[in-house]
Amino acid sequence: MESKKTTIHDIASKLGITASTVSRALNYDSRISLSTRDKVIELAKKMNYQPNKLAANLRTGHGKNIGVIVPRINRNFFTGAIAGMESITNPAGYTLMICQTNENYGSEQKSLQSLINNRVDGIIMSVSAETKNSDHIQRVIDMGIKLVQFDRVSNELKVSKVVNDNFKGAYELTKHLLEQGYKRIFHFSGPLHLNVYQERYKGYQQAMEEADLNVNKEMLIKNVLTKVQGANAISSLLESKNLPEAIFSASDFSGIGAAISLQNKGIKIPDDCAIAGFANEPFTEMTQPGMTTVEQFSEKMGKHTAKLLIMDIEEQEGSVDPTIIKIDTKLIIRESSYGNKM
Amino acid sequence: MESKKTTIHDIASKLGITASTVSRALNYDSRISLSTRDKVIELAKKMNYQPNKLAANLRTGHGKNIGVIVPRINRNFFTGAIAGMESITNPAGYTLMICQTNENYGSEQKSLQSLINNRVDGIIMSVSAETKNSDHIQRVIDMGIKLVQFDRVSNELKVSKVVNDNFKGAYELTKHLLEQGYKRIFHFSGPLHLNVYQERYKGYQQAMEEADLNVNKEMLIKNVLTKVQGANAISSLLESKNLPEAIFSASDFSGIGAAISLQNKGIKIPDDCAIAGFANEPFTEMTQPGMTTVEQFSEKMGKHTAKLLIMDIEEQEGSVDPTIIKIDTKLIIRESSYGNKM
DNA sequence: TTGTAGGCGTTATCAA
DNA sequence: TTGATAACGCCTACAA
């Protein structure tokens, strides 16, 4: 098979016209006569013509492609955000090129590089857990490439951003736990150099302070994000006979790991220890008891992010001023945090 | 900012050499002297040169890109498979372009089209639930484009494929339920035109037959794949007072939906009704009781698929004979199916 | 309404 | 070891 691909020149010569006419006809240029246009389109179909986007993009200098860089695509939050982006970009004629970094800094650099080399029109990104500075991103921006961040963003960058109200979400959640009568509330956190974990911690801290409760060192347990890490954290706490009354985990995954680990040891939730997470991953409502968490509206975030980027791309000359959009979160109360200390 | 991007010509003229020399130097062509090479590379870095992959691909006719089309990226199975593919393609220098169809036929067609227009070197795909014939895929193959299918494949296509042993997985699972003493076992299925659901059904049927049990119409409930559909199916069964002793769901999602719905109505699992799913989604071990299911080894599947495609791409002239790889599944027994009828 | 000619940024071939 | 030239497939002034 593997026959040479047909080009506009092939169509042109068969029709006794020039390639430019074919090009115009295929692009529905209003100046071409309907009869030629129809002839061209018909023959193109018959010859199974496949436009070479590379050539077109090379010529025009843009290809209606948007690059998306996320830490992982197996997180409900990120797939939701991507779905939201698609709902905006597809109708607008843009195609997404999705890259995942697996939380790896080097991989993030490579993805940026690859997207640039492929001449995407703009980039949407959420930084990896390993990313501690933004020089590599600043360099991209300096090249004049449109870039918008969402969720995990870099404070030092002057770009448009879409974020959750992590602080408020964590604050409200902690407040809820306090209202249920829990006082010794521990916090499982992520890497604190990431805005999202920093702010969740701050929200927790604020609520505790307002209740005149001290957050001492042992109550903040860092880098507990996965199911396994959650289970391990519980083991340590039990070993040191230091079980809290409640745990607010910045991640649903470690929250669930903790919950399962507790239950396996015969510790009742929420009677002996309450648990709450963050992100409203689907499994949080499938556990027994259902886990209290914070909903993030990832689709909405994705939509806003895509809109900002497209506006930025299609703005004539001169960049728009960076916009920061903060999306509200919503507390989801389930049985894992029903109070027993009232 | 937005300064004109630097090209090999810019570098060449600054250095008083030609573009071809620069091109060769940047590609580590062995014929270029080390001194020029170093000079070129240094200046390229200083001028922040970004190679234009579009131009290079246009010229060479290939770009080391592989297109991946999956129904959804928020399924553990598919993200696992993609991770497996990346572990093969990245070291081999290929980049994945990931598209999701959302189970939509039109979207699948568009994705194929887009990948072809972008001149990918090959395509890996798993068909959407709506896809009932393969003409659109056959057309791609006829164009001489390398294509490999995995998981949800088309019987009528003569291409390499990587599949689970869905039949065996379902057979073993059903057998397990039978051994636990359950007899009236219902099956929640997906669209039966998809090989995966067809074969899971066949496996179930075979095991039932071998136990001299009839599978009558009411026992096969079609198109129950989501959590909501699972819950609805339970409502119908309860309404018609037709609750089975056990349910084997072809999807973990509907399995969990059924389980939650049952528990909400005070029906005990597995005492009053056992439940088992398929796919070993992470949440199946987070529920109470944990849900029996079938593990699919998605990463392994992804690896095999990517290997097959790369072999096919890099084979000189003439396509390799299609290979079919069948991956074993593994029964995961949890508390949702502990027998009570012994 | 269509044709001509040139170029987007690379790489490949041939010659020096 | 390097240069000159052409070509990949398309689009777009400009001209007709």
Side-chain angles (χ1 to χ4, degrees):
Chain A
M1 258 323 164
E2 183 62 71
S3 54
K4 208 87 203 76
K5 298 223 165 55
T6 87
T7 74
I8 50 173
H9 291 100
D10 303 330
I11 298 175
S13 65
K14 284 227 183 193
L15 246 37
I17 54 180
T18 52
S20 26
T21 307
V22 174
S23 169
R24 286 192 270 250
L26 291 172
N27 289 312
Y28 292 89
D29 189 309
S30 57
R31 299 171 307 180
I32 252 63
S33 75
L34 287 181
S35 65
T36 13
R37 179 201 288 177
D38 291 346
K39 262 187 281 178
V40 168
I41 289 175
E42 200 196 355
L43 184 58
K45 194 173 288 174
K46 205 183 299 176
M47 297 180 70
N48 192 24
Y49 167 70
Q50 302 296 334
N52 187 329
K53 233 189 152 201
L54 299 179
N57 295 353
L58 175 58
R59 176 60 235 249
T60 59
H62 62 263
K64 290 247 174 190
N65 287 122
I66 289 175
V68 180
I69 302 178
V70 292
R72 315 206 103 108
I73 55 172
N74 65 349
R75 290 286 183 267
N76 193 254
F77 173 76
F78 288 114
T79 51
I82 290 173
M85 293 171 199
E86 283 184 334
S87 76
I88 298 296
T89 53
N90 287 352
Y94 290 88
T95 304
L96 295 188
M97 300 183 61
I98 300 161
C99 310
Q100 61 175 330
T101 61
N102 291 310
E103 304 287 14
N104 178 251
Y105 175 67
S107 175
E108 181 172 297
Q109 287 182 301
K110 274 192 199 158
S111 297
L112 277 173
Q113 196 59 54
S114 165
L115 292 173
I116 293 169
N117 294 350
N118 281 294
R119 295 298 188 265
V120 291
D121 298 315
I123 295 174
I124 291 172
M125 74 180 298
S126 189
V127 303
S128 87
E130 278 184 12
T131 303
K132 292 186 178 160
N133 79 73
S134 325
D135 297 351
H136 58 309
I137 308 176
Q138 184 60 55
R139 241 173 282 137
V140 174
I141 298 165
D142 288 344
M143 292 167 60
I145 291 168
K146 314 291 187 182
L147 188 144
V148 175
Q149 287 191 317
F150 79 103
D151 191 46
R152 298 179 182 183
V153 303
S154 318
N155 290 326
E156 59 272 33
L157 292 182
K158 284 216 170 59
V159 295
S160 291
K161 292 166 194 166
V162 179
V163 291
N164 289 312
D165 200 337
N166 286 288
F167 178 89
K168 191 158 153 238
Y171 175 82
E172 285 175 353
L173 175 50
T174 311
K175 199 113 183 166
H176 156 74
L177 291 173
L178 290 164
E179 280 163 6
Q180 299 293 305
Y182 303 107
K183 285 187 167 37
R184 256 172 60 83
I185 305 172
F186 280 28
H187 181 46
F188 288 179
S189 179
L192 288 175
H193 67 270
L194 289 181
N195 61 308
V196 293
Y197 299 113
Q198 177 68 233
E199 281 159 25
R200 287 172 203 175
Y201 170 57
K202 288 266 180 67
Y204 153 79
Q205 207 178 22
Q206 171 89 10
M208 293 292 277
E209 271 176 21
E210 287 180 10
D212 286 324
L213 292 171
N214 240 0
V215 175
N216 58 40
K217 266 184 211 156
E218 60 167 19
M219 299 170 74
L220 168 66
I221 309 182
K222 286 181 218 166
N223 292 314
V224 186
L225 288 179
T226 67
K227 199 183 153 206
V228 172
Q229 290 168 336
N232 290 344
I234 291 299
S235 299
S236 307
L237 290 173
L238 285 175
E239 234 168 68
S240 54
K241 302 208 182 331
N242 195 20
L243 204 66
E245 291 172 14
I247 296 170
F248 160 34
S249 173
S251 150
D252 279 340
F253 286 86
S254 49
I256 226 68
I260 292 175
S261 175
L262 286 169
Q263 289 179 322
N264 285 344
K265 280 161 183 148
I267 295 161
K268 297 259 177 303
I269 299 170
D271 304 2
D272 302 330
C273 180
I275 299 257
F278 206 106
N280 197 23
E281 285 282 340
F283 59 76
T284 55
E285 61 165 334
M286 296 173 174
T287 54
Q288 212 69 28
M291 193 167 80
T292 294
T293 184
V294 176
E295 165 78 55
Q296 298 192 89
F297 304 108
S298 54
E299 273 208 45
K300 192 174 172 187
M301 288 187 71
K303 284 186 189 180
H304 278 288
T305 312
K307 274 186 202 162
L308 281 180
L309 181 64
I310 291 182
M311 270 176 47
D312 206 354
I313 291 173
E314 298 184 347
E315 203 65 28
Q316 344 274 27
E317 282 310 308
S319 53
V320 191
D321 272 345
T323 314
I324 311 281
I325 296 181
K326 194 173 271 187
I327 309 273
D328 241 353
T329 55
K330 185 178 160 208
L331 180 60
I332 311 255
I333 299 174
R334 299 207 183 92
E335 308 83 51
S336 71
S337 67
Y338 282 162
N340 67 330
K341 310 274 177 189
M342 302 298 271
Chain B
M1 257 325 166
E2 184 60 74
S3 54
K4 206 88 203 78
K5 299 224 164 54
T6 86
T7 73
I8 50 172
H9 289 100
D10 303 329
I11 299 175
S13 65
K14 284 227 182 193
L15 245 37
I17 55 180
T18 50
S20 15
T21 307
V22 174
S23 169
R24 286 191 272 250
L26 291 172
N27 288 310
Y28 293 89
D29 188 310
S30 59
R31 299 172 305 181
I32 251 64
S33 75
L34 287 181
S35 65
T36 17
R37 179 202 287 176
D38 290 347
K39 262 186 281 178
V40 168
I41 289 175
E42 200 197 355
L43 183 58
K45 196 174 285 174
K46 206 183 298 174
M47 296 180 71
N48 192 24
Y49 167 72
Q50 302 296 335
N52 187 329
K53 233 189 152 201
L54 300 179
N57 295 352
L58 174 59
R59 177 62 234 244
T60 59
H62 61 264
K64 289 249 177 189
N65 287 121
I66 289 175
V68 180
I69 302 178
V70 292
R72 315 207 103 108
I73 56 172
N74 65 349
R75 290 285 183 269
N76 192 254
F77 173 76
F78 288 114
T79 50
I82 289 173
M85 294 171 199
E86 283 183 334
S87 76
I88 299 295
T89 54
N90 287 353
Y94 290 88
T95 304
L96 294 188
M97 299 183 61
I98 300 162
C99 310
Q100 62 174 330
T101 62
N102 291 309
E103 304 286 14
N104 178 251
Y105 175 67
S107 174
E108 180 172 297
Q109 287 181 301
K110 273 191 199 157
S111 296
L112 277 173
Q113 197 59 55
S114 166
L115 292 173
I116 293 169
N117 294 349
N118 280 294
R119 296 297 188 266
V120 292
D121 298 318
I123 295 175
I124 290 173
M125 74 181 296
S126 188
V127 302
S128 87
E130 279 184 11
T131 303
K132 294 187 177 158
N133 78 73
S134 324
D135 297 352
H136 59 310
I137 308 176
Q138 184 60 55
R139 240 174 283 136
V140 174
I141 298 165
D142 288 344
M143 291 167 59
I145 291 168
K146 314 290 187 183
L147 188 143
V148 175
Q149 288 190 315
F150 79 102
D151 191 46
R152 298 180 182 181
V153 303
S154 318
N155 289 326
E156 59 273 32
L157 293 182
K158 284 215 171 58
V159 295
S160 291
K161 292 164 193 166
V162 179
V163 291
N164 289 312
D165 200 338
N166 286 288
F167 177 89
K168 192 159 153 240
Y171 175 83
E172 285 174 354
L173 175 49
T174 312
K175 200 116 181 166
H176 156 74
L177 290 172
L178 290 164
E179 280 164 7
Q180 299 292 306
Y182 302 106
K183 286 188 168 39
R184 255 171 62 81
I185 306 172
F186 281 28
H187 181 47
F188 289 178
S189 179
L192 288 176
H193 67 270
L194 290 181
N195 62 309
V196 292
Y197 299 114
Q198 178 67 233
E199 281 158 26
R200 285 171 204 175
Y201 171 56
K202 289 266 180 65
Y204 154 78
Q205 208 178 23
Q206 171 89 10
M208 294 292 277
E209 270 175 23
E210 287 180 10
D212 286 325
L213 293 170
N214 240 359
V215 175
N216 58 41
K217 266 184 210 154
E218 59 167 18
M219 298 169 74
L220 169 66
I221 309 182
K222 285 179 221 167
N223 292 314
V224 186
L225 288 178
T226 66
K227 198 184 153 205
V228 171
Q229 289 168 336
N232 290 343
I234 292 299
S235 299
S236 306
L237 289 174
L238 285 175
E239 234 168 68
S240 54
K241 302 208 187 319
N242 196 21
L243 204 66
E245 291 172 14
I247 296 169
F248 160 35
S249 174
S251 150
D252 279 340
F253 285 86
S254 49
I256 226 70
I260 292 175
S261 175
L262 286 170
Q263 288 178 323
N264 285 344
K265 283 165 180 143
I267 295 160
K268 297 258 177 305
I269 299 170
D271 303 4
D272 303 331
C273 180
I275 299 258
F278 205 105
N280 197 24
E281 285 282 340
F283 59 75
T284 55
E285 62 165 334
M286 296 173 174
T287 55
Q288 213 68 29
M291 194 167 79
T292 294
T293 186
V294 176
E295 165 78 55
Q296 298 192 91
F297 304 107
S298 53
E299 272 208 47
K300 192 173 172 187
M301 288 187 71
K303 283 186 191 180
H304 278 289
T305 312
K307 274 186 202 162
L308 281 180
L309 181 64
I310 291 182
M311 270 177 48
D312 206 355
I313 290 173
E314 298 184 347
E315 202 65 27
Q316 343 275 28
E317 282 309 306
S319 53
V320 191
D321 272 346
T323 313
I324 312 280
I325 297 181
K326 195 173 270 186
I327 308 274
D328 241 354
T329 55
K330 186 178 159 207
L331 180 59
I332 312 255
I333 299 174
R334 298 205 183 93
E335 308 83 50
S336 72
S337 67
Y338 281 162
N340 66 331
K341 310 275 178 189
M342 303 299 269

